[in-house]
Amino acid sequence: MKKIIFTEKAPAPIGPYNQAILVGNTLYTSGQIALDPATMELVLNDIETETKQVMENLKAVLAAADMTFENVIKTTIFIMNMGDFTRINAVYGSYFDEATAPARETVQVACLPKNVNIEISMIAVK
């Protein structure tokens, strides 16, 4: 049975999807972009700030499912410019213990929703 996960501490969905779905002990998050949940405005000052907002949104979704980044087993990162990878990776990496970090792929794409520079989704297990 699937359980819908929702928190006001992360951006409300802007389409026909949910922030996350919990099935058994496995959480599947929707991709998060750098929307400030309080204002629903994009946070695009620089790639580090944008990445931090994405990670904070994911942190809120994980917390709504009683999980943390320690529960994350897989991430998918979509970026507009692979030249930003090092700067994105520095912010992303600050949320994980390197020894227990999840599996991951990072893919450069042609375009993302609202023309943002980064989107991240996660799978986590209790």
Side-chain angles (χ1 to χ4, degrees):
M1 194 77 171
K2 74 180 182 179
K3 177 181 177 186
I4 306 300
I5 301 297
F6 176 81
T7 178
E8 292 182 1
K9 295 178 180 178
I14 55 175
Y17 62 90
N18 288 289
Q19 292 169 332
I21 302 292
L22 183 66
V23 179
N25 291 329
T26 305
L27 182 73
Y28 301 88
T29 74
S30 290
Q32 286 290 323
I33 60 175
L35 282 170
D36 179 330
T39 63
M40 291 301 283
E41 297 292 324
L42 289 169
V43 178
L44 304 174
N45 304 349
D46 54 53
I47 195 64
E48 290 87 357
T49 304
E50 188 174 352
T51 303
K52 182 173 188 214
Q53 184 65 56
V54 170
M55 294 301 287
E56 289 297 314
N57 291 345
L58 287 162
K59 182 178 180 180
V61 173
L62 289 166
D66 297 318
M67 294 188 197
T68 69
F69 287 111
E70 283 296 312
N71 296 100
V72 177
I73 61 167
K74 176 80 165 59
T75 64
T76 302
I77 303 175
F78 300 99
I79 61 177
M80 289 288 294
N81 180 358
M82 198 58 78
D84 290 334
F85 179 80
T86 301
R87 293 165 56 205
I88 289 167
N89 202 47
V91 175
Y92 169 92
S94 71
Y95 286 84
F96 294 100
D97 174 356
E98 192 170 327
T100 60
R104 174 183 83 181
E105 67 255 337
T106 304
V107 181
Q108 181 174 316
V109 296
C111 190
L112 287 165
K114 295 188 172 279
N115 294 313
V116 298
N117 298 297
I118 182 170
E119 180 175 0
I120 302 174
S121 65
M122 297 181 166
I123 300 172
V125 177
K126 279 188 181 181

